[in-house]
Amino acid sequence: MSPEMSKWRFYMDRRLDTRRYLKSRAFLLVLIVALICTFVITTICAINNIVVEQNQIQQKSVTPVFDLVNRELLKPLYLAESFANSFALESEIYAEHVDEDALLKKLEKMEKRFGVTVFLALEKQRRQYMSDGRAFDLNEGEVYWYFEALQEDKAIMADLGQAEDIHLFFDVKIVGEGESFLGYVGVGEPIATFLDKFDEYKSQYGYDFLFVDDRNEIVLTSFADLIIIDQFAPSLSDLGAFSSRDIDLRNLDSETVVMRNEEYMISEIAIQEFDWRLLLLTPTEMRKATVTKTLLLNAFMTFALVASILAASYALLLQYKFSLESSSLTDSLTGLSNRSFLERQYIRLRKKQAMLCVVVCDLDRFKSINDTYGHNVGDEVLKHTANILKKQFREGDVVGRWGGEEFVILVPSKSADLGIKIAERTRQELASAQIYADGQRVQLTASFGVCFGSAEKPMAKLVGMADVALYQAKDQGRNRVIAKDFYSTVSMDNFRASA
């Protein structure tokens, strides 16, 4: 082939490749545009269809939703009525003198069983008793709900209480013989319990709730910025959407209002038990245009925001992980290592195939100290014990709080003698400890169980054998040290080391 022919073929091949390249780029561009247009059109159609379908579902689901909400509200009410009419609290209701400790324990058991806050307010004693252990006088000007209830004289009331953790309480009037007024029994649940249910339906159907009492005060709502943060509920008329004179606040069924730049249609149902109304706010057609216009922008902004949050969260989580690992390995009360740290250190000793003594220390009659002097003194005893343990054991030993009044010490050693001697010395130091409460010395003793063995064995086995020795020390009169050798069937049951 001549050079001119070769040049011509090369030129034609380049033109063909260029055309193919341009055609492929054009096809790819058309494909991308088509995909984008298809995505946009299908997205807009999907949004419109979803909104229409959602509104239809909302209208069809009104009755089931009302039934569910009524059940959620009436459940605690039924419990309160049951308590008021049962024999569970009868002895306290009719008693001249109430055993407050017994009553508070009974209310606490009721709370644990039914999962709700329970209270009893007695007119004769003018005292209110709560299942969280509180009891206080019903003084006018301090306990508002009680005196409002006396004025309204209703058999059933619903009110808000506990400013630090807002609860919705359902109060049932207790009436004795001859219609004599005896007090109220009530059941309460946190506002958050109801909000969780509202969120489920809001996620599924897209509508919001407003619960309004007979004074047009908003008691419950699914709007986050209207959640009640104290015991005083906002008024419905305070909302701009309901402030118009053209709106009859006593009859809002089928009314339309605009809230937060969105139009809603209201469906209303009466809750006769409390003289409340439930206002169901369903978004209208305006929502379709709003969603269509903001979808792509919101998607992009959400993606960027989520990506930024995820990146920042990842960095914060790494930093938090390091700080959490440090704090999670220390007992907050005594400052000693906790159980998790002891288990980690045992694994380290196992890798070294070390021999060690596992020493278990348990304070004698610690419950009696708590019962006699109170838990604050008990905490001081635990701290004092921890300080003695840290001083008596060596730097290489691992001292930790196993749980409650029980401590575990890992003592690397070639024989049981060292662990026994240190345990005995610590026992003597604890027995001579000078701890005082209310001018009286707190008698403190401890029993010790020592097990000698290899870290190659599971920690649970060595601790278990040390526990057996500890139980023997308890059975033999407490305040003593008993040791066992993991490799020997002969125990040192009657051994008591000298310091």
Side-chain angles (χ1 to χ4, degrees), residues 297-462:
L297 179 60
N298 287 341
F300 174 79
M301 293 178 62
T302 301
F303 174 80
L305 182 61
V306 169
S308 301
I309 293 175
L310 288 175
S313 300
Y314 180 75
L316 291 174
L317 283 174
L318 288 178
Q319 182 179 0
Y320 178 69
K321 177 184 176 183
F322 293 118
S323 62
L324 185 62
E325 285 183 348
S326 176
S327 62
S328 65
L329 299 176
T330 304
D331 179 62
S332 60
L333 177 63
T334 63
L336 295 177
S337 302
N338 62 14
R339 186 168 183 162
S340 297
F341 185 78
L342 285 167
E343 292 170 345
R344 288 192 182 188
Q345 291 302 102
Y346 190 89
I347 294 174
R348 183 178 62 83
L349 293 172
R350 169 180 281 187
K351 292 178 180 178
K352 295 181 179 180
Q353 299 181 345
M355 303 296 293
L356 80 159
C357 288
V358 175
V359 181
V360 178
C361 167
D362 188 271
L363 300 182
D364 297 329
R365 297 184 175 91
F366 182 71
K367 184 179 184 301
S368 177
I369 295 175
N370 273 334
D371 294 342
T372 304
Y373 303 103
H375 289 279
N376 289 335
V377 174
D379 289 346
E380 291 301 320
V381 168
L382 291 173
K383 293 178 185 177
H384 194 82
T385 302
N387 291 332
I388 291 176
L389 289 173
K390 285 188 286 189
K391 291 178 181 178
Q392 294 300 319
F393 285 86
R394 305 169 303 170
E395 183 177 348
D397 302 333
V398 184
V399 184
R401 185 182 179 193
W402 196 248
E405 66 272 22
E406 193 173 50
F407 301 85
V408 170
I409 306 96
L410 307 179
V411 183
S413 174
K414 295 182 179 179
S415 69
D417 294 341
L418 180 61
I420 294 170
K421 289 180 180 180
I422 298 177
E424 175 62 21
R425 189 169 65 238
T426 306
R427 182 198 66 78
Q428 295 176 6
E429 187 70 20
L430 288 171
S432 61
Q434 302 292 319
I435 303 176
Y436 292 89
D438 298 330
Q440 297 180 359
R441 183 188 172 193
V442 179
Q443 185 61 45
L444 177 62
T445 63
S447 300
F448 290 79
V450 181
C451 176
F452 175 73
S454 171
E456 292 179 317
K457 301 296 181 181
M459 184 179 183
K461 290 188 175 181
L462 269 67

Side-chain angles (χ1 to χ4, degrees), residues 1-7:
M1 184 181 296
S2 65
E4 290 78 7
M5 182 62 69
S6 299
K7 290 180 181 179

Side-chain angles (χ1 to χ4, degrees), residues 242 252-257 264-268 279-281:
F242 297 91
L252 294 170
D253 195 37
S254 300
E255 288 280 358
T256 56
V257 294
Y264 294 89
M265 185 177 67
I266 300 175
S267 299
E268 178 179 306
L279 306 182
L280 182 67
L281 279 68

